[in-house]
């Protein structure tokens, strides 16, 4: 299966937006230069070795999903039901706007995956965002 750098960038941008990580936080977490991170997010001019080096800093991110668009965005929970995410954060105060932004990104990502003939696993995420939005209203 071919690797699509732009799709990886869109999925990484979706993940970092979902986790509410800005560029400064990404630089601090990964020790990477802003140019490298910006290139990954924009889907151009980076090596997969750079991506792999950055991925090790995201314990809950499923690399199979990020690179190929297969499976769930997050790694499965362990036997005790704990996620492997040690950096959980809270949603921003304007949750409705945030959830709307995430839904738009999901639709963009979904359309790109469908255009390539993939059947992405984003329906569950859309439903969860709708559910969270409903609880905020």
């Amino acid at each position: 299966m071919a690797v699509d750098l732009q799709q990886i960038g869109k999925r990484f941008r979706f993940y970092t937006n979902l986790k509410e990580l800005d560029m400064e936080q990404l630089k601090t977490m990964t020790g990477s230069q802003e140019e490298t991170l910006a290139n990954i997010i924009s889907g151009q001019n980076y090596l997969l070795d750079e991506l792999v080096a950055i991925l090790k800093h995201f314990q809950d991110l499923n690399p199979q999903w990020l690179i190929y668009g297969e499976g769930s965005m997050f790694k499965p929970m362990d036997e005790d039901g704990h996620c492997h995410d040690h950096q959980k954060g809270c949603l921003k105060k304007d949750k409705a706007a945030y959830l709307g932004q995430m839904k738009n990104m999901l639709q963009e990502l979904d359309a790109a995956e469908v255009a390539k003939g993939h059947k992405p696993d984003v329906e569950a995420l859309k439903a969860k965002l709708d559910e969270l939005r409903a609880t905020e209203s």
Side-chain angles (χ1 to χ4, degrees), residues 14-75:
F14 180 80
Y15 172 82
T16 57
N17 282 337
L18 183 67
K19 302 291 276 186
E20 299 181 292
L21 298 171
D22 62 25
M23 186 59 75
E24 289 304 314
Q25 291 169 310
L26 289 172
K27 286 174 21 183
T28 300
M29 286 175 63
T30 64
S32 299
Q33 295 179 357
E34 184 169 346
E35 180 180 5
T36 301
L37 292 164
N39 285 346
I40 291 171
I41 290 170
S42 68
Q44 55 193 1
N45 299 326
Y46 68 92
L47 302 173
L48 285 179
D49 289 346
E50 294 171 323
L51 178 66
V52 169
I54 288 169
L55 282 180
K56 68 182 178 183
H57 299 282
F58 301 98
Q59 302 290 324
D60 65 339
L61 180 59
N62 178 356
Q64 189 76 12
W65 173 82
L66 182 70
I67 296 170
Y68 300 109
E70 297 174 352
S72 174
M73 178 189 333
F74 296 105
K75 290 179 181 175

Side-chain angles (χ1 to χ4, degrees), residues 2 8 10 42 58 102 119:
I8 292 170
K10 286 179 182 180
S42 68
F58 301 98
M102 296 311 297
K119 293 184 179 180

Side-chain angles (χ1 to χ4, degrees), residues 78-92:
D78 62 21
E79 304 81 39
D80 298 326
H82 297 103
C83 184
H84 299 285
D85 178 18
H86 303 293
Q87 299 157 351
K88 291 184 180 175
C90 299
L91 288 177
K92 295 176 181 173

